Amino acid sequence: MILTVHPYGDRALLVELADAEAVVVLTDHLRGEEAVGELVADVVPAARSVLLVARAGVAVERLRGVVPDEKHHISPGSGAFRQGLPPVAIPVTYDGPDLAEVAELTGLSDSEVVEAHVGSEWRVAFGGFAPGFAYLVGGDTRLQVPRRETPRTRVPAGSVGLAGEFSGIYPRESPGGWRLIGRTDAVLWDLARDEPALLTAGATVRFEAVDG
């Protein structure tokens, strides 16, 4: 699972991984280990890497001891990352402009695409692109489709899309090349909340089909 470990300045290590699923598993493990918390101030997941930032006064060399090697097996959900929190439910109206195209690409019917999307328990691997945007992994592998060849110049806020191994929700209007299968009224980013992002790294997400 672990590919390489690099020093990242004088206070951090960058762990490179094979895919986003491995990122979720490693992040889950690290945030669930009490001993890690004594050394690590922050764990920052990305698409194919995890950054470990040392606490003040902790030598970066000590962080290497908390990174499992390639022979160390970590099963998904083995840590205590967000343990006990219920899944975040996202209501979706599945009437996206690319739904039929996704069905054609996957060999599924429109309704089967919806069933596969709502039937998966997704995990937030990492955030990026825009405040509140979360890259979700763990979905039905049949839903893996390429991005659009020509991105849209305007994607409405709340659009639910697919791209490669990921699903995601646009938190605000922006350009984008994901294939849109639905829309939600859920507010992904709100500065008035204690935690502005509705979907944070490690959270479990379940989509629910609703009428428009």
Side-chain angles (χ1 to χ4, degrees), residues 3 18 20 26 32-33 38 40 45 60-61 63 67 74 79 86 107 126 128 130-132 156 159 165 167-168 179 189:
L3 296 182
L26 179 61
E33 293 289 326
E38 295 174 355
V40 178
V60 69
E61 291 78 13
L63 298 187
V67 179
I74 306 173
F126 60 100
S159 296
E165 65 189 293
S167 186
R179 297 186 187 272
W189 181 258

Side-chain angles (χ1 to χ4, degrees), residues 20 47-48 122 125-126 135-137 144 161-168 178:
R48 298 289 186 272
W122 299 83
F126 60 100
Y135 290 80
L136 309 178
V137 297
Q144 295 186 11
L162 297 168
E165 65 189 293
F166 302 110
S167 186
W178 290 37

